[in-house]
Amino acid sequence: MFLAATPKWHVAFLGTISTFKDRAVIREIGKVLGLPKGEIDSFTDPTKERENLLNATYQKLLAVHAYMKNMPNQRSIHAGGILISEEPITYYTALDMPPKGFPTVQWDMYEAEAIGYEKFDVLSQRGIGHIREAVQLIKKNKGTDIDIHDFKTFKEDRKLNSILKEGQPIGCFYIESPAMRQLLKKLKCDNYLTLVAASSIIRPGVASSGMMKSYIERYHAPEKVVYLCEVMKERLSETYGVMVYQEDVIKVCHYFAGLDLADADVLRKAMSGKYRSKLAFDELVNKFFASARKQGHSEMLITEVWRQISSFAGYSFSKAHSASFAVESYQSLYLKTYYPMEFMVAVLNNYGGFYSRWVYVYELQKTGAQVHLPCVNHSDEVVNIKAEDVYLGFIGIQGLEEKVIRRIPQERAANGLYLHLEDFVKRTCISLEQAIILIRLGALRFTGKDRKTLLWDVHNYLGFKQKKVNHAELFNLSYKTYQLPVLEDSGLENAYTELELLGYPLNYKMFDFLKTPYRGEIMAAEMHGYLGKTVRMVGNYVCEKTVHTIKHTKMWFGTFLDAKGDFFDTTHFPNTTPMYPFKGKGCYLILGKVVEDFGFQSIEVLKFAKLDIQMNPVAIN
């Protein structure tokens, strides 16, 4: 209401400064030196890191890189920061008008704070969109009203808590990522309060400091917890002596070190990286140590407490934030558990979540839904569902123009189903190129003709340019038909088309592309029986994460699906990954040792290679 009542020029987006990162620096320097794109790409390819170190040009890039790293690159827009001023903002600064048309200030949050502005973070969140649309779809498709705010019932639901404990809530807000799924399984999380803590523990600050592992150990054996001192026991007993929430930093700074609450909060804020003045920050750190010594604590104890506090440089959550996220996670989990089809359709229509779109389509298929390719007589702009039939929307088709995406369902709603190809072309005024995309994907299969015959027909009808359609024509002119030879069609060829136009094959698994029938020695569900043993597994690549180690090296974590559709995770250490790098989506042969951490099994990779696939029959011909 306040935003709506505020005059236009009193509100603006907050600016920010993007800086040069590793790859960006190398690319910019390479362009200045006039290097070809292929050579620049090779310098940013982690698989060629060793040979690049012997390259004189690359050494020159690195020398300049040392000066440019983290320098300002360009001004940008804060993800959700909004400023509201008493006087028009132009009294304080000039404004940009980016393409989206929202006024944006030319400085960042540090200048805003110095001037005296309060920054409002107004962030969109797809998880809420998933929930809202799922409730609407359930009402429409099943006639059932859902009270999504009945959280008290959700958190006591044994079925929900059992699924939470297993760590497989794909599509559910905040708890679906590989790291979070692992944490839930390691904690054997089966209740709301544990999920609240987990929502903050997973944040980079606690995780990178090693305190996440300490929390898991203490959670499973609370009787063995040894607190650093009585103050820590008194103030952090709820979290077993581990600082989990932002409030914990304030409590420790105040009760342990003796800082007043104002300084404690400033220090907490500085720990989140939102404090520009290094000098002022160093003064606060010195004040912390000096005040803690006055409380009678030993130097060793103060140093360890400060180490734990400094782990919060990774943006840990406040407890209220974690609690609200946990509520939303339970709401998503309830819908996913009891109304999985409608929920997964809502996830797809709100642009997914952590994973690529194909993962959610696959999850939708696992619910028993009959998922169909787009069809001009059944599909809408977005994914729709009727009973157990789900039709993918036109929005997900690569190369399809927005006006075509809107026009097809609008015309169908106004004048009924399309009767045949000619009727479709006349009523939509579609161009040849756009019609070809739809035909190749099978969107005109209602005609009863195969894709290649339809491609012949549409060329015969439209030729090589768009013909004007006279809507007032008196007679429906017929076009010549020709007797065509048998045109071969194959499932593999269609799968390649789906891969090209949708980004994934709907009716073909990635495993079906492989030349080899080998699917690994064991499946994900069998890993617990092979602890400590070296095994071969075949996995379909889902995602990867790069982590920088304390020794300034990199290691990777991968997530894969086996041939039965179960997830498993891999760890790639710095000594093996340069020789066996990730090479994008596809299926990989993985040689590694099965290890377990708090009941969660994964593979420590020894060797790793992407498997060859069958060629597209069109390419062969």
Side-chain angles (χ1 to χ4, degrees):
M1 292 296 292
F2 179 59
L3 284 172
T6 304
K8 180 179 179 181
W9 297 110
H10 292 249
V11 180
F13 276 143
L14 185 63
T16 187
I17 306 295
S18 64
T19 57
F20 282 108
K21 301 299 180 185
D22 291 338
R23 291 188 181 184
V25 176
I26 292 174
R27 288 193 175 280
E28 289 301 318
I29 301 170
K31 291 175 186 176
V32 171
L33 294 177
L35 300 179
K37 182 179 183 300
E39 188 172 2
I40 296 174
D41 290 342
S42 71
F43 288 155
T44 59
D45 186 347
T47 66
K48 298 180 180 180
E49 190 170 343
R50 292 185 176 182
E51 59 186 84
N52 285 338
L53 291 174
L54 303 175
N55 187 303
T57 304
Y58 184 69
Q59 292 296 330
K60 186 175 181 180
L61 291 180
L62 289 183
V64 182
H65 172 278
Y67 293 99
M68 287 186 65
K69 186 177 181 182
N70 294 325
M71 286 184 64
N73 181 3
Q74 61 185 10
R75 285 188 294 109
S76 184
I77 304 175
H78 191 283
I82 290 178
L83 301 180
I84 302 174
S85 63
E86 184 177 359
E87 300 292 340
I89 291 182
T90 50
Y91 282 31
Y92 303 94
T93 178
L95 297 176
D96 285 334
M97 291 293 284
K100 289 188 177 181
F102 298 109
T104 304
V105 299
Q106 296 184 350
W107 25 257
D108 60 21
M109 61 185 180
Y110 302 105
E111 278 72 27
E113 185 176 2
I115 292 171
Y117 275 112
E118 292 291 342
K119 173 173 68 77
F120 297 86
D121 277 350
V122 183
L123 301 172
S124 63
Q125 192 193 94
R126 285 177 289 186
I128 295 175
H130 299 167
I131 292 169
R132 182 187 63 250
E133 184 164 344
V135 170
Q136 294 169 351
L137 288 173
I138 293 164
K139 174 65 175 176
K140 182 179 178 182
N141 197 42
K142 287 191 164 62
T144 304
D145 289 305
I146 302 295
D147 181 6
I148 200 60
H149 301 293
D150 186 15
F151 170 67
K152 290 183 179 179
T153 301
F154 300 163
K155 72 175 184 178
E156 301 300 330
D157 190 312
R158 291 184 179 180
K159 189 173 182 179
L160 300 190
N161 287 325
S162 175
I163 295 173
L164 194 64
K165 184 178 179 180
E166 288 302 313
Q168 295 294 336
I170 305 302
C172 297
F173 171 75
Y174 203 70
I175 55 176
E176 64 166 340
S177 70
M180 194 62 177
R181 290 190 296 104
Q182 290 180 33
L183 178 58
L184 294 175
K185 202 162 186 179
K186 289 175 182 179
L187 287 172
K188 296 181 172 57
C189 176
D190 62 357
N191 61 82
Y192 169 67
L193 292 179
T194 302
L195 181 58
V196 172
S199 297
S200 190
I201 292 168
I202 199 66
R203 299 291 291 173
V206 186
S208 63
S209 70
M211 296 311 295
M212 182 170 75
K213 184 176 181 180
S214 295
Y215 182 89
I216 298 171
E217 291 172 344
R218 297 176 185 196
Y219 176 82
H220 288 299
E223 71 283 355
K224 296 181 180 179
V225 175
V226 177
Y227 293 92
L228 291 175
C229 63
E230 281 301 314
V231 175
M232 299 292 276
K233 182 177 181 179
E234 181 181 349
R235 300 297 168 183
L236 300 177
S237 58
E238 180 186 341
T239 54
Y240 313 106
V242 176
M243 282 177 277
V244 171
Y245 309 111
Q246 290 183 356
E247 292 92 334
D248 294 336
V249 174
I250 297 174
K251 287 192 289 186
V252 171
C253 289
H254 180 64
Y255 292 104
F256 172 82
L259 295 180
D260 61 47
L261 290 174
D263 281 344
D265 188 47
V266 171
L267 191 56
R268 186 274 310 167
K269 188 176 181 181
M271 289 293 96
S272 294
K274 297 178 180 178
Y275 203 68
R276 174 171 284 178
S277 172
K278 186 177 185 306
L279 181 62
F281 177 65
D282 289 342
E283 288 180 2
L284 271 176
V285 174
N286 293 333
K287 188 174 182 179
F288 172 88
F289 275 85
S291 182
R293 291 186 191 106
K294 291 179 181 179
Q295 307 304 313
H297 302 304
S298 69
E299 199 68 25
M300 184 180 297
L301 176 61
I302 297 170
T303 302
E304 174 56 23
V305 171
W306 174 253
R307 185 193 71 81
Q308 293 186 22
I309 290 176
S310 62
S311 75
F312 277 69
Y315 300 87
S316 293
F317 279 165
S318 67
K319 190 172 184 180
H321 198 164
S322 295
S324 64
F325 269 30
V327 169
E328 191 174 335
S329 297
Y330 262 99
Q331 291 173 322
S332 295
L333 190 58
Y334 172 81
L335 295 170
K336 169 74 183 297
T337 303
Y338 292 105
Y339 303 94
M341 293 183 191
E342 291 82 3
F343 178 74
M344 292 313 303
V345 169
V347 170
L348 287 167
N349 286 343
N350 287 274
Y351 304 99
F354 183 88
Y355 300 101
S356 299
R357 188 173 181 82
W358 73 265
V359 177
Y360 301 111
V361 173
Y362 177 70
E363 280 291 310
L364 178 57
Q365 290 175 317
K366 284 169 63 176
T367 67
Q370 298 299 312
V371 184
H372 304 278
L373 288 168
C375 172
V376 297
N377 268 345
H378 294 93
S379 293
D380 299 320
E381 292 182 35
V382 296
V383 183
N384 65 44
I385 179 171
K386 186 175 182 180
E388 295 184 356
D389 284 304
V390 175
Y391 281 87
L392 297 179
F394 297 117
I395 283 179
I397 302 175
Q398 298 292 323
L400 199 62
E401 296 173 357
E402 187 175 345
K403 62 181 180 181
V404 176
I405 291 172
R406 292 196 307 267
R407 187 185 301 145
I408 294 172
Q410 286 174 356
E411 168 61 27
R412 187 182 70 224
N415 299 303
L417 297 178
Y418 300 106
L419 302 177
H420 41 68
L421 174 62
E422 185 180 334
D423 180 53
F424 172 74
V425 171
K426 282 186 176 181
R427 288 166 56 184
T428 59
C429 303
I430 195 168
S431 68
L432 177 64
E433 293 77 13
Q434 293 290 290
I436 288 173
I437 291 174
L438 291 169
I439 291 171
R440 290 182 64 213
L441 197 55
L444 277 87
R445 58 189 179 277
F446 76 92
T447 61
K449 296 182 179 182
D450 63 73
R451 304 181 192 196
K452 291 183 178 177
T453 301
L454 284 169
L455 286 173
W456 186 283
D457 289 346
V458 79
H459 276 89
N460 178 44
Y461 182 70
L462 287 177
F464 292 94
K465 61 181 180 179
Q466 175 68 46
K467 295 178 179 175
K468 294 181 179 180
V469 178
N470 181 3
H471 290 284
E473 63 184 6
L474 294 176
F475 303 101
N476 188 6
L477 301 176
S478 60
Y479 286 78
K480 290 183 179 180
T481 58
Y482 299 90
Q483 184 66 38
L484 299 177
V486 177
L487 301 173
E488 293 185 4
D489 201 14
S490 75
L492 181 61
E493 182 183 337
N494 291 338
Y496 264 103
T497 300
E498 292 168 18
L499 195 61
E500 174 193 344
L501 297 178
L502 291 178
Y504 55 89
L506 179 64
N507 301 311
Y508 222 68
K509 293 182 179 179
M510 290 303 295
F511 290 96
D512 297 331
F513 283 91
L514 296 178
K515 290 182 177 179
T516 175
Y518 185 69
R519 298 294 181 261
E521 294 174 343
I522 66 169
M523 295 291 126
E526 303 170 309
M527 287 170 61
H528 66 276
Y530 291 83
L531 295 179
K533 296 181 180 179
T534 300
V535 298
R536 286 181 175 82
M537 297 183 70
V538 175
N540 180 17
Y541 171 88
V542 176
C543 62
E544 67 187 81
K545 180 183 179 182
T546 307
V547 174
H548 293 268
T549 67
I550 298 175
K551 296 181 180 179
H552 305 292
T553 58
K554 296 178 183 178
M555 63 186 298
W556 284 260
F557 296 93
T559 300
F560 296 84
L561 282 171
D562 68 15
K564 291 186 176 179
D566 293 322
F567 284 91
F568 68 94
D569 296 87
T570 58
T571 303
H572 306 248
F573 290 104
N575 59 327
T576 60
T577 305
M579 293 182 287
Y580 307 107
F582 287 94
K583 293 184 177 180
K585 59 184 177 183
C587 293
Y588 290 77
L589 177 61
I590 303 162
L591 176 70
K593 185 171 71 172
V594 181
V595 297
E596 185 177 73
D597 188 24
F598 297 105
F600 180 83
Q601 297 93 35
S602 61
I603 301 290
E604 288 185 354
V605 174
L606 302 173
K607 292 183 179 180
F608 184 67
K610 191 173 181 180
L611 294 171
D612 291 333
I613 60 175
Q614 302 174 63
M615 293 293 291
N616 187 344
V618 174
I620 295 173
N621 295 331

